[in-house]
Amino acid sequence: MKSTVREAIRTMPPQIKMIAFWLLFGASILLAIAPPLYLTGSGVAAAVLGMPVSVGYWIVDALLAVAAVWLLWIVENIRDEVGEEPVEVDA
């Protein structure tokens, strides 16, 4: 199972990798820029895991951004793309 997932990641096109990354990271950016859920939860006095809902909103948003970058690093590590220097083009 593990080797088939790694092989699928190695053979997938780079566009799929970037689309998946930007869907996750873009969701985090949208939640931070236009926080409709935060505004609805900011008046709620109930505590979730001992913290207000509005604080939990920002923690979940930050964790989503970290998870997106971390998953991108894992995928690029499997594809042996970590540490590659861009190729310079002669002008």
mmCIF file with all atom_site columns, all heavy atoms in Angstrom, residues 22-40 54 56-65:
data_model
loop_
_atom_site.group_PDB
_atom_site.id
_atom_site.type_symbol
_atom_site.label_atom_id
_atom_site.label_alt_id
_atom_site.label_comp_id
_atom_site.label_asym_id
_atom_site.label_entity_id
_atom_site.label_seq_id
_atom_site.pdbx_PDB_ins_code
_atom_site.Cartn_x
_atom_site.Cartn_y
_atom_site.Cartn_z
_atom_site.occupancy
_atom_site.B_iso_or_equiv
_atom_site.pdbx_formal_charge
_atom_site.auth_seq_id
_atom_site.auth_comp_id
_atom_site.auth_asym_id
_atom_site.auth_atom_id
_atom_site.pdbx_PDB_model_num
ATOM 1   N N   . TRP A 1 22 ? -2.882  24.553 -3.660 1.00 0.00 ? 22 TRP A N   1
ATOM 2   C CA  . TRP A 1 22 ? -3.559  25.845 -3.641 1.00 0.00 ? 22 TRP A CA  1
ATOM 3   C C   . TRP A 1 22 ? -5.003  25.748 -3.198 1.00 0.00 ? 22 TRP A C   1
ATOM 4   O O   . TRP A 1 22 ? -5.569  26.732 -2.704 1.00 0.00 ? 22 TRP A O   1
ATOM 5   C CB  . TRP A 1 22 ? -3.426  26.552 -4.981 1.00 0.00 ? 22 TRP A CB  1
ATOM 6   C CG  . TRP A 1 22 ? -2.100  27.222 -5.079 1.00 0.00 ? 22 TRP A CG  1
ATOM 7   C CD1 . TRP A 1 22 ? -1.047  26.852 -5.858 1.00 0.00 ? 22 TRP A CD1 1
ATOM 8   C CD2 . TRP A 1 22 ? -1.654  28.339 -4.308 1.00 0.00 ? 22 TRP A CD2 1
ATOM 9   N NE1 . TRP A 1 22 ? 0.020   27.682 -5.620 1.00 0.00 ? 22 TRP A NE1 1
ATOM 10  C CE2 . TRP A 1 22 ? -0.321  28.599 -4.681 1.00 0.00 ? 22 TRP A CE2 1
ATOM 11  C CE3 . TRP A 1 22 ? -2.238  29.135 -3.339 1.00 0.00 ? 22 TRP A CE3 1
ATOM 12  C CZ2 . TRP A 1 22 ? 0.413   29.636 -4.124 1.00 0.00 ? 22 TRP A CZ2 1
ATOM 13  C CZ3 . TRP A 1 22 ? -1.504  30.169 -2.777 1.00 0.00 ? 22 TRP A CZ3 1
ATOM 14  C CH2 . TRP A 1 22 ? -0.193  30.410 -3.177 1.00 0.00 ? 22 TRP A CH2 1
ATOM 15  N N   . LEU A 1 23 ? -5.637  24.583 -3.356 1.00 0.00 ? 23 LEU A N   1
ATOM 16  C CA  . LEU A 1 23 ? -6.985  24.423 -2.801 1.00 0.00 ? 23 LEU A CA  1
ATOM 17  C C   . LEU A 1 23 ? -6.946  24.488 -1.276 1.00 0.00 ? 23 LEU A C   1
ATOM 18  O O   . LEU A 1 23 ? -7.766  25.161 -0.646 1.00 0.00 ? 23 LEU A O   1
ATOM 19  C CB  . LEU A 1 23 ? -7.604  23.106 -3.269 1.00 0.00 ? 23 LEU A CB  1
ATOM 20  C CG  . LEU A 1 23 ? -8.130  23.093 -4.700 1.00 0.00 ? 23 LEU A CG  1
ATOM 21  C CD1 . LEU A 1 23 ? -8.614  21.691 -5.068 1.00 0.00 ? 23 LEU A CD1 1
ATOM 22  C CD2 . LEU A 1 23 ? -9.250  24.101 -4.868 1.00 0.00 ? 23 LEU A CD2 1
ATOM 23  N N   . LEU A 1 24 ? -5.976  23.786 -0.671 1.00 0.00 ? 24 LEU A N   1
ATOM 24  C CA  . LEU A 1 24 ? -5.859  23.814 0.787  1.00 0.00 ? 24 LEU A CA  1
ATOM 25  C C   . LEU A 1 24 ? -5.367  25.174 1.287  1.00 0.00 ? 24 LEU A C   1
ATOM 26  O O   . LEU A 1 24 ? -5.946  25.758 2.203  1.00 0.00 ? 24 LEU A O   1
ATOM 27  C CB  . LEU A 1 24 ? -4.898  22.728 1.260  1.00 0.00 ? 24 LEU A CB  1
ATOM 28  C CG  . LEU A 1 24 ? -5.403  21.296 1.196  1.00 0.00 ? 24 LEU A CG  1
ATOM 29  C CD1 . LEU A 1 24 ? -4.281  20.327 1.523  1.00 0.00 ? 24 LEU A CD1 1
ATOM 30  C CD2 . LEU A 1 24 ? -6.558  21.110 2.143  1.00 0.00 ? 24 LEU A CD2 1
ATOM 31  N N   . PHE A 1 25 ? -4.303  25.659 0.696  1.00 0.00 ? 25 PHE A N   1
ATOM 32  C CA  . PHE A 1 25 ? -3.716  26.926 1.146  1.00 0.00 ? 25 PHE A CA  1
ATOM 33  C C   . PHE A 1 25 ? -4.637  28.096 0.807  1.00 0.00 ? 25 PHE A C   1
ATOM 34  O O   . PHE A 1 25 ? -4.762  29.035 1.579  1.00 0.00 ? 25 PHE A O   1
ATOM 35  C CB  . PHE A 1 25 ? -2.339  27.115 0.512  1.00 0.00 ? 25 PHE A CB  1
ATOM 36  C CG  . PHE A 1 25 ? -1.498  28.133 1.214  1.00 0.00 ? 25 PHE A CG  1
ATOM 37  C CD1 . PHE A 1 25 ? -1.026  27.893 2.488  1.00 0.00 ? 25 PHE A CD1 1
ATOM 38  C CD2 . PHE A 1 25 ? -1.184  29.331 0.606  1.00 0.00 ? 25 PHE A CD2 1
ATOM 39  C CE1 . PHE A 1 25 ? -0.257  28.833 3.152  1.00 0.00 ? 25 PHE A CE1 1
ATOM 40  C CE2 . PHE A 1 25 ? -0.411  30.278 1.256  1.00 0.00 ? 25 PHE A CE2 1
ATOM 41  C CZ  . PHE A 1 25 ? 0.054   30.026 2.533  1.00 0.00 ? 25 PHE A CZ  1
ATOM 42  N N   . GLY A 1 26 ? -5.293  28.023 -0.350 1.00 0.00 ? 26 GLY A N   1
ATOM 43  C CA  . GLY A 1 26 ? -6.225  29.062 -0.732 1.00 0.00 ? 26 GLY A CA  1
ATOM 44  C C   . GLY A 1 26 ? -7.421  29.136 0.207  1.00 0.00 ? 26 GLY A C   1
ATOM 45  O O   . GLY A 1 26 ? -7.928  30.219 0.503  1.00 0.00 ? 26 GLY A O   1
ATOM 46  N N   . ALA A 1 27 ? -7.874  27.980 0.681  1.00 0.00 ? 27 ALA A N   1
ATOM 47  C CA  . ALA A 1 27 ? -8.962  27.979 1.661  1.00 0.00 ? 27 ALA A CA  1
ATOM 48  C C   . ALA A 1 27 ? -8.524  28.689 2.934  1.00 0.00 ? 27 ALA A C   1
ATOM 49  O O   . ALA A 1 27 ? -9.290  29.456 3.528  1.00 0.00 ? 27 ALA A O   1
ATOM 50  C CB  . ALA A 1 27 ? -9.393  26.544 1.966  1.00 0.00 ? 27 ALA A CB  1
ATOM 51  N N   . SER A 1 28 ? -7.300  28.461 3.337  1.00 0.00 ? 28 SER A N   1
ATOM 52  C CA  . SER A 1 28 ? -6.774  29.134 4.527  1.00 0.00 ? 28 SER A CA  1
ATOM 53  C C   . SER A 1 28 ? -6.683  30.639 4.310  1.00 0.00 ? 28 SER A C   1
ATOM 54  O O   . SER A 1 28 ? -7.027  31.431 5.191  1.00 0.00 ? 28 SER A O   1
ATOM 55  C CB  . SER A 1 28 ? -5.403  28.570 4.882  1.00 0.00 ? 28 SER A CB  1
ATOM 56  O OG  . SER A 1 28 ? -4.827  29.294 5.928  1.00 0.00 ? 28 SER A OG  1
ATOM 57  N N   . ILE A 1 29 ? -6.238  31.044 3.140  1.00 0.00 ? 29 ILE A N   1
ATOM 58  C CA  . ILE A 1 29 ? -6.134  32.469 2.829  1.00 0.00 ? 29 ILE A CA  1
ATOM 59  C C   . ILE A 1 29 ? -7.525  33.115 2.810  1.00 0.00 ? 29 ILE A C   1
ATOM 60  O O   . ILE A 1 29 ? -7.722  34.196 3.360  1.00 0.00 ? 29 ILE A O   1
ATOM 61  C CB  . ILE A 1 29 ? -5.413  32.677 1.483  1.00 0.00 ? 29 ILE A CB  1
ATOM 62  C CG1 . ILE A 1 29 ? -3.942  32.295 1.619  1.00 0.00 ? 29 ILE A CG1 1
ATOM 63  C CG2 . ILE A 1 29 ? -5.550  34.114 1.002  1.00 0.00 ? 29 ILE A CG2 1
ATOM 64  C CD1 . ILE A 1 29 ? -3.197  32.246 0.307  1.00 0.00 ? 29 ILE A CD1 1
ATOM 65  N N   . LEU A 1 30 ? -8.491  32.426 2.195  1.00 0.00 ? 30 LEU A N   1
ATOM 66  C CA  . LEU A 1 30 ? -9.846  32.978 2.151  1.00 0.00 ? 30 LEU A CA  1
ATOM 67  C C   . LEU A 1 30 ? -10.454 33.098 3.541  1.00 0.00 ? 30 LEU A C   1
ATOM 68  O O   . LEU A 1 30 ? -11.152 34.062 3.837  1.00 0.00 ? 30 LEU A O   1
ATOM 69  C CB  . LEU A 1 30 ? -10.733 32.111 1.262  1.00 0.00 ? 30 LEU A CB  1
ATOM 70  C CG  . LEU A 1 30 ? -10.502 32.262 -0.236 1.00 0.00 ? 30 LEU A CG  1
ATOM 71  C CD1 . LEU A 1 30 ? -11.365 31.281 -1.007 1.00 0.00 ? 30 LEU A CD1 1
ATOM 72  C CD2 . LEU A 1 30 ? -10.798 33.680 -0.679 1.00 0.00 ? 30 LEU A CD2 1
ATOM 73  N N   . LEU A 1 31 ? -10.198 32.117 4.395  1.00 0.00 ? 31 LEU A N   1
ATOM 74  C CA  . LEU A 1 31 ? -10.709 32.193 5.760  1.00 0.00 ? 31 LEU A CA  1
ATOM 75  C C   . LEU A 1 31 ? -10.085 33.355 6.521  1.00 0.00 ? 31 LEU A C   1
ATOM 76  O O   . LEU A 1 31 ? -10.722 33.965 7.384  1.00 0.00 ? 31 LEU A O   1
ATOM 77  C CB  . LEU A 1 31 ? -10.448 30.884 6.499  1.00 0.00 ? 31 LEU A CB  1
ATOM 78  C CG  . LEU A 1 31 ? -11.330 29.707 6.104  1.00 0.00 ? 31 LEU A CG  1
ATOM 79  C CD1 . LEU A 1 31 ? -10.855 28.437 6.804  1.00 0.00 ? 31 LEU A CD1 1
ATOM 80  C CD2 . LEU A 1 31 ? -12.779 29.980 6.418  1.00 0.00 ? 31 LEU A CD2 1
ATOM 81  N N   . ALA A 1 32 ? -8.829  33.670 6.220  1.00 0.00 ? 32 ALA A N   1
ATOM 82  C CA  . ALA A 1 32 ? -8.157  34.769 6.914  1.00 0.00 ? 32 ALA A CA  1
ATOM 83  C C   . ALA A 1 32 ? -8.574  36.130 6.369  1.00 0.00 ? 32 ALA A C   1
ATOM 84  O O   . ALA A 1 32 ? -8.705  37.092 7.119  1.00 0.00 ? 32 ALA A O   1
ATOM 85  C CB  . ALA A 1 32 ? -6.644  34.610 6.798  1.00 0.00 ? 32 ALA A CB  1
ATOM 86  N N   . ILE A 1 33 ? -8.802  36.228 5.052  1.00 0.00 ? 33 ILE A N   1
ATOM 87  C CA  . ILE A 1 33 ? -9.130  37.516 4.448  1.00 0.00 ? 33 ILE A CA  1
ATOM 88  C C   . ILE A 1 33 ? -10.603 37.883 4.649  1.00 0.00 ? 33 ILE A C   1
ATOM 89  O O   . ILE A 1 33 ? -10.921 39.020 4.981  1.00 0.00 ? 33 ILE A O   1
ATOM 90  C CB  . ILE A 1 33 ? -8.789  37.498 2.936  1.00 0.00 ? 33 ILE A CB  1
ATOM 91  C CG1 . ILE A 1 33 ? -7.281  37.439 2.766  1.00 0.00 ? 33 ILE A CG1 1
ATOM 92  C CG2 . ILE A 1 33 ? -9.349  38.719 2.237  1.00 0.00 ? 33 ILE A CG2 1
ATOM 93  C CD1 . ILE A 1 33 ? -6.844  37.294 1.335  1.00 0.00 ? 33 ILE A CD1 1
ATOM 94  N N   . ALA A 1 34 ? -11.479 36.935 4.420  1.00 0.00 ? 34 ALA A N   1
ATOM 95  C CA  . ALA A 1 34 ? -12.916 37.198 4.530  1.00 0.00 ? 34 ALA A CA  1
ATOM 96  C C   . ALA A 1 34 ? -13.517 36.196 5.510  1.00 0.00 ? 34 ALA A C   1
ATOM 97  O O   . ALA A 1 34 ? -14.049 35.173 5.107  1.00 0.00 ? 34 ALA A O   1
ATOM 98  C CB  . ALA A 1 34 ? -13.575 37.065 3.157  1.00 0.00 ? 34 ALA A CB  1
ATOM 99  N N   . PRO A 1 35 ? -13.431 36.479 6.784  1.00 0.00 ? 35 PRO A N   1
ATOM 100 C CA  . PRO A 1 35 ? -13.838 35.487 7.793  1.00 0.00 ? 35 PRO A CA  1
ATOM 101 C C   . PRO A 1 35 ? -15.328 35.517 8.154  1.00 0.00 ? 35 PRO A C   1
ATOM 102 O O   . PRO A 1 35 ? -15.705 36.018 9.202  1.00 0.00 ? 35 PRO A O   1
ATOM 103 C CB  . PRO A 1 35 ? -12.991 35.873 8.992  1.00 0.00 ? 35 PRO A CB  1
ATOM 104 C CG  . PRO A 1 35 ? -12.813 37.347 8.845  1.00 0.00 ? 35 PRO A CG  1
ATOM 105 C CD  . PRO A 1 35 ? -12.767 37.616 7.373  1.00 0.00 ? 35 PRO A CD  1
ATOM 106 N N   . PRO A 1 36 ? -16.197 34.974 7.299  1.00 0.00 ? 36 PRO A N   1
ATOM 107 C CA  . PRO A 1 36 ? -17.616 34.986 7.656  1.00 0.00 ? 36 PRO A CA  1
ATOM 108 C C   . PRO A 1 36 ? -17.923 34.081 8.851  1.00 0.00 ? 36 PRO A C   1
ATOM 109 O O   . PRO A 1 36 ? -18.793 34.396 9.654  1.00 0.00 ? 36 PRO A O   1
ATOM 110 C CB  . PRO A 1 36 ? -18.315 34.477 6.391  1.00 0.00 ? 36 PRO A CB  1
ATOM 111 C CG  . PRO A 1 36 ? -17.280 33.659 5.710  1.00 0.00 ? 36 PRO A CG  1
ATOM 112 C CD  . PRO A 1 36 ? -15.961 34.324 6.023  1.00 0.00 ? 36 PRO A CD  1
ATOM 113 N N   . LEU A 1 37 ? -17.220 32.981 8.962  1.00 0.00 ? 37 LEU A N   1
ATOM 114 C CA  . LEU A 1 37 ? -17.447 32.091 10.104 1.00 0.00 ? 37 LEU A CA  1
ATOM 115 C C   . LEU A 1 37 ? -16.977 32.739 11.398 1.00 0.00 ? 37 LEU A C   1
ATOM 116 O O   . LEU A 1 37 ? -17.581 32.559 12.449 1.00 0.00 ? 37 LEU A O   1
ATOM 117 C CB  . LEU A 1 37 ? -16.735 30.756 9.890  1.00 0.00 ? 37 LEU A CB  1
ATOM 118 C CG  . LEU A 1 37 ? -17.236 29.921 8.721  1.00 0.00 ? 37 LEU A CG  1
ATOM 119 C CD1 . LEU A 1 37 ? -16.371 28.687 8.546  1.00 0.00 ? 37 LEU A CD1 1
ATOM 120 C CD2 . LEU A 1 37 ? -18.682 29.545 8.905  1.00 0.00 ? 37 LEU A CD2 1
ATOM 121 N N   . TYR A 1 38 ? -15.901 33.486 11.333 1.00 0.00 ? 38 TYR A N   1
ATOM 122 C CA  . TYR A 1 38 ? -15.400 34.177 12.520 1.00 0.00 ? 38 TYR A CA  1
ATOM 123 C C   . TYR A 1 38 ? -16.411 35.200 13.020 1.00 0.00 ? 38 TYR A C   1
ATOM 124 O O   . TYR A 1 38 ? -16.666 35.318 14.209 1.00 0.00 ? 38 TYR A O   1
ATOM 125 C CB  . TYR A 1 38 ? -14.072 34.864 12.218 1.00 0.00 ? 38 TYR A CB  1
ATOM 126 C CG  . TYR A 1 38 ? -13.596 35.751 13.335 1.00 0.00 ? 38 TYR A CG  1
ATOM 127 C CD1 . TYR A 1 38 ? -13.059 35.194 14.491 1.00 0.00 ? 38 TYR A CD1 1
ATOM 128 C CD2 . TYR A 1 38 ? -13.712 37.126 13.261 1.00 0.00 ? 38 TYR A CD2 1
ATOM 129 C CE1 . TYR A 1 38 ? -12.632 35.999 15.532 1.00 0.00 ? 38 TYR A CE1 1
ATOM 130 C CE2 . TYR A 1 38 ? -13.294 37.931 14.297 1.00 0.00 ? 38 TYR A CE2 1
ATOM 131 C CZ  . TYR A 1 38 ? -12.750 37.357 15.429 1.00 0.00 ? 38 TYR A CZ  1
ATOM 132 O OH  . TYR A 1 38 ? -12.338 38.148 16.460 1.00 0.00 ? 38 TYR A OH  1
ATOM 133 N N   . LEU A 1 39 ? -16.998 35.934 12.100 1.00 0.00 ? 39 LEU A N   1
ATOM 134 C CA  . LEU A 1 39 ? -17.950 36.968 12.482 1.00 0.00 ? 39 LEU A CA  1
ATOM 135 C C   . LEU A 1 39 ? -19.206 36.365 13.103 1.00 0.00 ? 39 LEU A C   1
ATOM 136 O O   . LEU A 1 39 ? -19.772 36.935 14.036 1.00 0.00 ? 39 LEU A O   1
ATOM 137 C CB  . LEU A 1 39 ? -18.311 37.825 11.273 1.00 0.00 ? 39 LEU A CB  1
ATOM 138 C CG  . LEU A 1 39 ? -17.154 38.657 10.710 1.00 0.00 ? 39 LEU A CG  1
ATOM 139 C CD1 . LEU A 1 39 ? -17.586 39.369 9.445  1.00 0.00 ? 39 LEU A CD1 1
ATOM 140 C CD2 . LEU A 1 39 ? -16.642 39.631 11.737 1.00 0.00 ? 39 LEU A CD2 1
ATOM 141 N N   . THR A 1 40 ? -19.631 35.209 12.615 1.00 0.00 ? 40 THR A N   1
ATOM 142 C CA  . THR A 1 40 ? -20.801 34.566 13.216 1.00 0.00 ? 40 THR A CA  1
ATOM 143 C C   . THR A 1 40 ? -20.468 33.945 14.560 1.00 0.00 ? 40 THR A C   1
ATOM 144 O O   . THR A 1 40 ? -21.320 33.847 15.431 1.00 0.00 ? 40 THR A O   1
ATOM 145 C CB  . THR A 1 40 ? -21.391 33.494 12.288 1.00 0.00 ? 40 THR A CB  1
ATOM 146 O OG1 . THR A 1 40 ? -20.413 32.492 12.036 1.00 0.00 ? 40 THR A OG1 1
ATOM 147 C CG2 . THR A 1 40 ? -21.881 34.091 10.994 1.00 0.00 ? 40 THR A CG2 1
ATOM 148 N N   . SER A 1 54 ? -14.200 32.104 18.660 1.00 0.00 ? 54 SER A N   1
ATOM 149 C CA  . SER A 1 54 ? -13.464 33.002 17.767 1.00 0.00 ? 54 SER A CA  1
ATOM 150 C C   . SER A 1 54 ? -11.959 32.715 17.787 1.00 0.00 ? 54 SER A C   1
ATOM 151 O O   . SER A 1 54 ? -11.285 32.824 16.760 1.00 0.00 ? 54 SER A O   1
ATOM 152 C CB  . SER A 1 54 ? -13.733 34.460 18.137 1.00 0.00 ? 54 SER A CB  1
ATOM 153 O OG  . SER A 1 54 ? -13.381 34.699 19.484 1.00 0.00 ? 54 SER A OG  1
ATOM 154 N N   . GLY A 1 56 ? -10.658 29.710 18.521 1.00 0.00 ? 56 GLY A N   1
ATOM 155 C CA  . GLY A 1 56 ? -10.542 28.414 17.852 1.00 0.00 ? 56 GLY A CA  1
ATOM 156 C C   . GLY A 1 56 ? -10.570 28.542 16.344 1.00 0.00 ? 56 GLY A C   1
ATOM 157 O O   . GLY A 1 56 ? -9.910  27.789 15.628 1.00 0.00 ? 56 GLY A O   1
ATOM 158 N N   . TYR A 1 57 ? -11.338 29.515 15.829 1.00 0.00 ? 57 TYR A N   1
ATOM 159 C CA  . TYR A 1 57 ? -11.409 29.763 14.394 1.00 0.00 ? 57 TYR A CA  1
ATOM 160 C C   . TYR A 1 57 ? -10.028 30.083 13.833 1.00 0.00 ? 57 TYR A C   1
ATOM 161 O O   . TYR A 1 57 ? -9.601  29.536 12.826 1.00 0.00 ? 57 TYR A O   1
ATOM 162 C CB  . TYR A 1 57 ? -12.372 30.923 14.130 1.00 0.00 ? 57 TYR A CB  1
ATOM 163 C CG  . TYR A 1 57 ? -12.451 31.341 12.679 1.00 0.00 ? 57 TYR A CG  1
ATOM 164 C CD1 . TYR A 1 57 ? -13.317 30.710 11.813 1.00 0.00 ? 57 TYR A CD1 1
ATOM 165 C CD2 . TYR A 1 57 ? -11.658 32.378 12.186 1.00 0.00 ? 57 TYR A CD2 1
ATOM 166 C CE1 . TYR A 1 57 ? -13.405 31.099 10.489 1.00 0.00 ? 57 TYR A CE1 1
ATOM 167 C CE2 . TYR A 1 57 ? -11.738 32.767 10.872 1.00 0.00 ? 57 TYR A CE2 1
ATOM 168 C CZ  . TYR A 1 57 ? -12.614 32.126 10.026 1.00 0.00 ? 57 TYR A CZ  1
ATOM 169 O OH  . TYR A 1 57 ? -12.683 32.506 8.709  1.00 0.00 ? 57 TYR A OH  1
ATOM 170 N N   . TRP A 1 58 ? -9.310  30.984 14.502 1.00 0.00 ? 58 TRP A N   1
ATOM 171 C CA  . TRP A 1 58 ? -7.992  31.378 14.002 1.00 0.00 ? 58 TRP A CA  1
ATOM 172 C C   . TRP A 1 58 ? -6.971  30.254 14.177 1.00 0.00 ? 58 TRP A C   1
ATOM 173 O O   . TRP A 1 58 ? -6.057  30.113 13.352 1.00 0.00 ? 58 TRP A O   1
ATOM 174 C CB  . TRP A 1 58 ? -7.513  32.659 14.681 1.00 0.00 ? 58 TRP A CB  1
ATOM 175 C CG  . TRP A 1 58 ? -8.353  33.821 14.250 1.00 0.00 ? 58 TRP A CG  1
ATOM 176 C CD1 . TRP A 1 58 ? -9.215  34.526 15.020 1.00 0.00 ? 58 TRP A CD1 1
ATOM 177 C CD2 . TRP A 1 58 ? -8.440  34.371 12.936 1.00 0.00 ? 58 TRP A CD2 1
ATOM 178 N NE1 . TRP A 1 58 ? -9.827  35.495 14.271 1.00 0.00 ? 58 TRP A NE1 1
ATOM 179 C CE2 . TRP A 1 58 ? -9.378  35.431 12.979 1.00 0.00 ? 58 TRP A CE2 1
ATOM 180 C CE3 . TRP A 1 58 ? -7.831  34.082 11.728 1.00 0.00 ? 58 TRP A CE3 1
ATOM 181 C CZ2 . TRP A 1 58 ? -9.706  36.191 11.862 1.00 0.00 ? 58 TRP A CZ2 1
ATOM 182 C CZ3 . TRP A 1 58 ? -8.158  34.846 10.620 1.00 0.00 ? 58 TRP A CZ3 1
ATOM 183 C CH2 . TRP A 1 58 ? -9.078  35.872 10.691 1.00 0.00 ? 58 TRP A CH2 1
ATOM 184 N N   . ILE A 1 59 ? -7.120  29.458 15.208 1.00 0.00 ? 59 ILE A N   1
ATOM 185 C CA  . ILE A 1 59 ? -6.212  28.316 15.393 1.00 0.00 ? 59 ILE A CA  1
ATOM 186 C C   . ILE A 1 59 ? -6.434  27.291 14.289 1.00 0.00 ? 59 ILE A C   1
ATOM 187 O O   . ILE A 1 59 ? -5.473  26.764 13.706 1.00 0.00 ? 59 ILE A O   1
ATOM 188 C CB  . ILE A 1 59 ? -6.380  27.708 16.793 1.00 0.00 ? 59 ILE A CB  1
ATOM 189 C CG1 . ILE A 1 59 ? -5.838  28.691 17.841 1.00 0.00 ? 59 ILE A CG1 1
ATOM 190 C CG2 . ILE A 1 59 ? -5.690  26.356 16.897 1.00 0.00 ? 59 ILE A CG2 1
ATOM 191 C CD1 . ILE A 1 59 ? -6.083  28.269 19.269 1.00 0.00 ? 59 ILE A CD1 1
ATOM 192 N N   . VAL A 1 60 ? -7.686  27.006 13.958 1.00 0.00 ? 60 VAL A N   1
ATOM 193 C CA  . VAL A 1 60 ? -7.980  26.070 12.871 1.00 0.00 ? 60 VAL A CA  1
ATOM 194 C C   . VAL A 1 60 ? -7.467  26.619 11.544 1.00 0.00 ? 60 VAL A C   1
ATOM 195 O O   . VAL A 1 60 ? -6.902  25.876 10.729 1.00 0.00 ? 60 VAL A O   1
ATOM 196 C CB  . VAL A 1 60 ? -9.497  25.774 12.808 1.00 0.00 ? 60 VAL A CB  1
ATOM 197 C CG1 . VAL A 1 60 ? -9.870  25.050 11.532 1.00 0.00 ? 60 VAL A CG1 1
ATOM 198 C CG2 . VAL A 1 60 ? -9.919  24.966 14.019 1.00 0.00 ? 60 VAL A CG2 1
ATOM 199 N N   . ASP A 1 61 ? -7.617  27.913 11.324 1.00 0.00 ? 61 ASP A N   1
ATOM 200 C CA  . ASP A 1 61 ? -7.119  28.525 10.095 1.00 0.00 ? 61 ASP A CA  1
ATOM 201 C C   . ASP A 1 61 ? -5.595  28.397 9.990  1.00 0.00 ? 61 ASP A C   1
ATOM 202 O O   . ASP A 1 61 ? -5.060  28.052 8.943  1.00 0.00 ? 61 ASP A O   1
ATOM 203 C CB  . ASP A 1 61 ? -7.541  29.989 10.036 1.00 0.00 ? 61 ASP A CB  1
ATOM 204 C CG  . ASP A 1 61 ? -7.195  30.648 8.715  1.00 0.00 ? 61 ASP A CG  1
ATOM 205 O OD1 . ASP A 1 61 ? -7.261  29.962 7.680  1.00 0.00 ? 61 ASP A OD1 1
ATOM 206 O OD2 . ASP A 1 61 ? -6.868  31.840 8.731  1.00 0.00 ? 61 ASP A OD2 1
ATOM 207 N N   . ALA A 1 62 ? -4.906  28.652 11.085 1.00 0.00 ? 62 ALA A N   1
ATOM 208 C CA  . ALA A 1 62 ? -3.440  28.527 11.087 1.00 0.00 ? 62 ALA A CA  1
ATOM 209 C C   . ALA A 1 62 ? -3.017  27.079 10.875 1.00 0.00 ? 62 ALA A C   1
ATOM 210 O O   . ALA A 1 62 ? -2.064  26.803 10.134 1.00 0.00 ? 62 ALA A O   1
ATOM 211 C CB  . ALA A 1 62 ? -2.870  29.055 12.392 1.00 0.00 ? 62 ALA A CB  1
ATOM 212 N N   . LEU A 1 63 ? -3.717  26.144 11.495 1.00 0.00 ? 63 LEU A N   1
ATOM 213 C CA  . LEU A 1 63 ? -3.382  24.724 11.315 1.00 0.00 ? 63 LEU A CA  1
ATOM 214 C C   . LEU A 1 63 ? -3.622  24.265 9.887  1.00 0.00 ? 63 LEU A C   1
ATOM 215 O O   . LEU A 1 63 ? -2.871  23.444 9.363  1.00 0.00 ? 63 LEU A O   1
ATOM 216 C CB  . LEU A 1 63 ? -4.182  23.866 12.299 1.00 0.00 ? 63 LEU A CB  1
ATOM 217 C CG  . LEU A 1 63 ? -3.785  23.988 13.761 1.00 0.00 ? 63 LEU A CG  1
ATOM 218 C CD1 . LEU A 1 63 ? -4.725  23.163 14.643 1.00 0.00 ? 63 LEU A CD1 1
ATOM 219 C CD2 . LEU A 1 63 ? -2.341  23.555 13.967 1.00 0.00 ? 63 LEU A CD2 1
ATOM 220 N N   . LEU A 1 64 ? -4.653  24.809 9.229  1.00 0.00 ? 64 LEU A N   1
ATOM 221 C CA  . LEU A 1 64 ? -4.901  24.479 7.823  1.00 0.00 ? 64 LEU A CA  1
ATOM 222 C C   . LEU A 1 64 ? -3.755  24.964 6.937  1.00 0.00 ? 64 LEU A C   1
ATOM 223 O O   . LEU A 1 64 ? -3.302  24.238 6.047  1.00 0.00 ? 64 LEU A O   1
ATOM 224 C CB  . LEU A 1 64 ? -6.227  25.096 7.368  1.00 0.00 ? 64 LEU A CB  1
ATOM 225 C CG  . LEU A 1 64 ? -6.652  24.830 5.927  1.00 0.00 ? 64 LEU A CG  1
ATOM 226 C CD1 . LEU A 1 64 ? -6.858  23.337 5.691  1.00 0.00 ? 64 LEU A CD1 1
ATOM 227 C CD2 . LEU A 1 64 ? -7.923  25.602 5.612  1.00 0.00 ? 64 LEU A CD2 1
ATOM 228 N N   . ALA A 1 65 ? -3.255  26.161 7.184  1.00 0.00 ? 65 ALA A N   1
ATOM 229 C CA  . ALA A 1 65 ? -2.126  26.681 6.411  1.00 0.00 ? 65 ALA A CA  1
ATOM 230 C C   . ALA A 1 65 ? -0.867  25.855 6.643  1.00 0.00 ? 65 ALA A C   1
ATOM 231 O O   . ALA A 1 65 ? -0.150  25.511 5.699  1.00 0.00 ? 65 ALA A O   1
ATOM 232 C CB  . ALA A 1 65 ? -1.870  28.147 6.770  1.00 0.00 ? 65 ALA A CB  1
#
